[in-house]
Amino acid sequence: MKSSLKFKDLGGDFFAHVKTQKLEDTILIHINENLKQELNLKVTDKDLLRICSGEKQLAKESPISSVYAGHQFGYFVPQLGDGRSCLIGEVGGYELSLKGAGTSPFSRGADGRAVLRSSIREYLCSIAMQGLNIPTTKALSIVSSNSQVYREHIENAAIITRVAESHIRFGHFEYFASKGQDENVKKLADFVLQHHMPELNHRDYLGLFKNVIHSTAIMIARWQAQGFSHGVMNTDNMSILGLTIDYGPFSFMEAYDPGFTCNHSDTQGRYSFERQPSVALWNLQRLADALKSIIQEDQLKEALSFYEKILVKEYSNLMRSKFGFILQDEDDNSLINNFLELLYTKKKDYHQSMRQLLSQQQNTLGDEFDSWFKDYQRRINKEESLNQSVALMNQVNPKYILRNYLAEVAIRKAEDLNEFDEIDILFRLLEKPFDNHDGYESYDSEAPEWAKSLELSCSS
Ligand code: AMP
Ligand code: MG
């Protein structure tokens, strides 16, 4: 099967051709079968392993790694790029990218590899986000190997195959703008318009920027409503299509805490949970700076002024749904805020507490919630149909969340015992997180004592 890759039409300023570097004793440890079907990828598992480990070429041309720049923790880095990932081809309108298949000219001295531990986390989080209706890059497969890589300890290398309509980041535009290559900024914008925003007119650069603002605002609103913390919101980790991309030290919040910072290396809390909405706006401003040669400044500014409105509207709809509110009541916002305040002071689990609202007949949240719960009952009884409210709540309050300890159990089994069944269990629960899965009730439990001190840091 030979496919071509549109991104390469952009020309040599945008990427370098690379050769994937072989890993030892590779095993296909999981496949996203639904995605494989959606892509209409008709290959045997044996061939899939060869393609997804970089041994067999998918496209006519060799893989490519692209160059981009980015603001990392507030500071501009003029050249980054796909240091350990490469696009291998396009299938069914999606780009396939291998993460961890070796070095590229953009590796900056690093080894081009990804460790099994972080690959399992990215693989599982990709399906978890899909299950939660949060825009994300997807993951087709995970391949493990016996090749060793050196981090804090020696670890096994792995490769995930990432799938997205486009892997273009804000940083791609920043790279060309910072070099004063306005023609390439325009070329890239034309490419995005033509291939990813066909509903817009040719050269509607402002329309493109408005689309990025809109999709970013929706993505962030959904992160906030579902307690997702990305951890490394640098502009090179922001997708032009508003997809969650580059999973590193991400975490779903457990005990509710707006100041929660999942990345252990982020000592200033720059990317804390509550700052995500304003950081995304700051990142959009950096994208606006990079688009100044093709969009007038007053238009960029005006477009940015809509970001907050879009975000607040989406967030508010989701939060109201979580509480089962269909009618509008003037006290709804304060009722929701009081609940979050209580969760924070009582260190209650965000997701479990939301699920407990579903048993609306009695307060199962604890005595501290008595008074709040009475107000809530009064409010929910105003709804025309309690059943309808409960149905709505069941669609937005997940039973299953990718808690760090659950991922850790799957990682331990894979690393220590070469057993991958736990990955499959989590995959199936997270793919449909709002459903009941008989026999897997314990997977919705809060973290056990041993897992409370798990720490996550930047890329690995
Ligand atoms: P991240 O924060 O994981 O998105 O990575 C930031 C930059 O470092 C990106 O340009 C990555 O491609 C690059 N990078 C991270 N880890 C490696 C690695 N092991 N080898 C080569 N490049 C890497
Ligand atoms: Mg990155």
Side-chain angles (χ1 to χ4, degrees):
M1 193 180 75
K2 293 289 169 202
S3 75
S4 67
L5 186 58
K6 289 187 215 97
F7 191 86
K8 76 168 192 328
D9 296 341
L10 282 164
D13 288 351
F14 290 78
F15 58 83
H17 282 281
V18 296
K19 280 205 171 74
T20 52
Q21 292 137 32
K22 198 173 151 35
L23 291 175
E24 298 302 319
D25 308 320
T26 48
I27 321 173
L28 196 52
I29 65 176
H30 207 273
I31 306 172
N32 181 341
E33 290 288 354
N34 287 339
L35 181 56
K36 187 180 164 204
Q37 268 186 22
E38 197 188 324
L39 296 174
N40 203 12
L41 198 57
K42 294 203 171 81
V43 290
T44 60
D45 281 1
K46 201 172 153 205
D47 270 343
L48 195 70
L49 169 63
R50 294 183 63 217
I51 292 167
C52 295
S53 58
E55 276 178 39
K56 181 184 156 95
Q57 216 166 283
L58 176 69
K60 291 194 280 292
E61 313 82 10
S62 58
I64 62 178
S65 293
S66 69
V67 62
Y68 49 82
H71 279 83
Q72 298 193 314
F73 290 89
Y75 297 98
F76 185 63
V77 183
Q79 197 209 292
L80 296 158
D82 297 324
R84 54 168 167 173
S85 69
C86 57
L87 297 177
I88 57 168
E90 219 173 281
V91 186
Y94 285 92
E95 292 177 349
L96 267 58
S97 151
L98 301 186
K99 183 167 177 181
T103 53
S104 78
F106 315 114
S107 302
R108 299 181 299 153
D111 62 6
R113 296 300 187 192
V115 299
L116 180 59
R117 164 175 54 90
S118 58
S119 303
I120 292 173
R121 280 171 45 83
E122 170 150 3
Y123 187 74
L124 291 175
C125 199
S126 303
I127 196 67
M129 297 296 261
Q130 258 174 275
L132 294 169
N133 299 314
I134 303 177
T136 178
T137 59
K138 301 175 184 188
L140 174 65
S141 68
I142 179 162
V143 168
S144 76
S145 81
N146 274 337
S147 296
Q148 297 191 323
V149 290
Y150 300 87
R151 299 291 185 263
E152 280 144 49
H153 317 277
I154 293 178
E155 299 188 47
N156 284 357
I159 298 177
I160 70 160
T161 300
R162 197 158 49 171
V163 175
E165 293 93 326
S166 168
H167 291 76
I168 296 176
R169 301 143 191 273
F170 292 9
H172 280 94
F173 284 94
E174 291 179 277
Y175 175 78
F176 295 106
S178 75
K179 290 171 87 76
Q181 294 181 7
D182 296 349
E183 270 313 297
N184 278 337
V185 171
K186 193 158 152 296
K187 200 169 173 183
L188 188 58
D190 286 335
F191 179 87
V192 172
L193 279 170
Q194 187 190 342
H195 295 294
H196 304 296
M197 302 177 182
E199 72 283 7
L200 295 182
N201 288 330
H202 187 55
R203 306 247 158 113
D204 183 3
Y205 304 126
L206 180 61
L208 180 159
F209 186 53
K210 284 181 178 169
N211 269 0
V212 184
I213 292 169
H214 190 271
S215 57
T216 303
I218 298 289
M219 173 187 79
I220 300 288
R222 295 187 188 177
W223 286 7
Q224 300 307 111
Q226 298 297 15
F228 176 78
S229 188
H230 182 283
V232 200
M233 286 180 70
N234 295 333
T235 56
D236 51 302
N237 292 339
M238 297 289 292
S239 144
I240 208 75
L241 301 184
L243 307 172
T244 312
I245 192 168
D246 279 11
Y247 292 94
F250 74 83
S251 205
F252 283 92
M253 198 160 57
E254 297 186 30
Y256 183 76
D257 173 9
F260 173 63
T261 304
C262 61
N263 183 354
H264 185 61
S265 330
D266 181 8
T267 49
Q268 306 290 312
R270 179 180 170 91
Y271 297 140
S272 71
F273 180 73
E274 66 188 339
R275 285 193 181 163
Q276 295 187 132
S278 60
V279 167
L281 176 60
W282 190 88
N283 289 345
L284 284 163
Q285 285 160 345
R286 302 292 73 74
L287 177 63
D289 293 342
L291 296 175
K292 274 182 187 152
S293 62
I294 52 170
I295 306 174
Q296 287 172 22
E297 261 188 87
D298 55 335
Q299 291 184 318
L300 287 166
K301 236 190 190 147
E302 205 218 322
L304 282 167
S305 71
F306 287 95
Y307 167 80
E308 191 179 335
K309 292 191 189 74
I310 302 164
L311 190 152
V312 168
K313 187 168 171 218
E314 176 74 5
Y315 178 72
S316 158
N317 280 342
L318 280 168
M319 292 307 285
R320 291 175 49 75
S321 302
K322 278 181 165 284
F323 287 81
F325 297 161
I326 298 167
L327 302 173
Q328 296 280 343
D329 192 291
E330 59 179 357
D331 293 331
D332 285 350
N333 278 350
S334 62
L335 199 57
I336 291 174
N337 289 336
N338 290 345
F339 183 73
L340 294 179
E341 187 68 39
L342 271 169
L343 290 188
Y344 175 56
T345 49
K346 304 298 171 200
K347 296 190 165 51
K348 284 279 196 180
D349 186 86
Y350 183 61
H351 306 281
Q352 285 250 352
S353 305
M354 291 285 178
R355 291 286 303 188
Q356 276 167 288
L357 293 178
L358 284 162
S359 57
Q360 284 145 345
Q361 298 320 311
Q362 52 167 328
N363 169 21
T364 53
L365 287 155
D367 298 348
E368 309 95 331
F369 285 76
D370 272 347
S371 145
W372 181 87
F373 199 77
K374 284 199 185 90
D375 292 341
Y376 179 62
Q377 274 186 311
R378 255 194 305 276
R379 166 62 184 87
I380 202 76
N381 284 329
K382 289 184 189 170
E383 291 293 336
E384 275 166 29
S385 150
L386 213 56
N387 285 346
Q388 222 178 333
S389 287
V390 170
L392 180 65
M393 293 165 83
N394 267 320
Q395 286 165 25
V396 285
N397 291 313
K399 190 168 166 59
Y400 299 102
I401 277 290
L402 181 55
R403 296 174 184 273
N404 284 329
Y405 85 90
L406 293 173
E408 191 61 22
V409 171
I411 290 166
R412 291 267 60 82
K413 280 183 114 174
E415 284 187 342
D416 303 343
L417 309 169
N418 260 330
E419 285 175 16
F420 308 117
D421 55 329
E422 200 66 26
I423 297 174
D424 185 57
I425 292 172
L426 290 178
F427 186 92
R428 284 184 291 110
L429 299 178
L430 296 169
E431 193 174 26
K432 293 192 171 12
F434 304 108
D435 292 0
N436 285 318
H437 294 260
D438 289 340
Y440 294 96
E441 285 73 17
S442 66
Y443 284 78
D444 71 1
S445 311
E446 292 176 37
E449 228 24 71
W450 65 263
K452 296 215 161 120
S453 57
L454 288 176
E455 280 180 355
L456 307 160
S457 57
C458 255
S459 119
S460 45

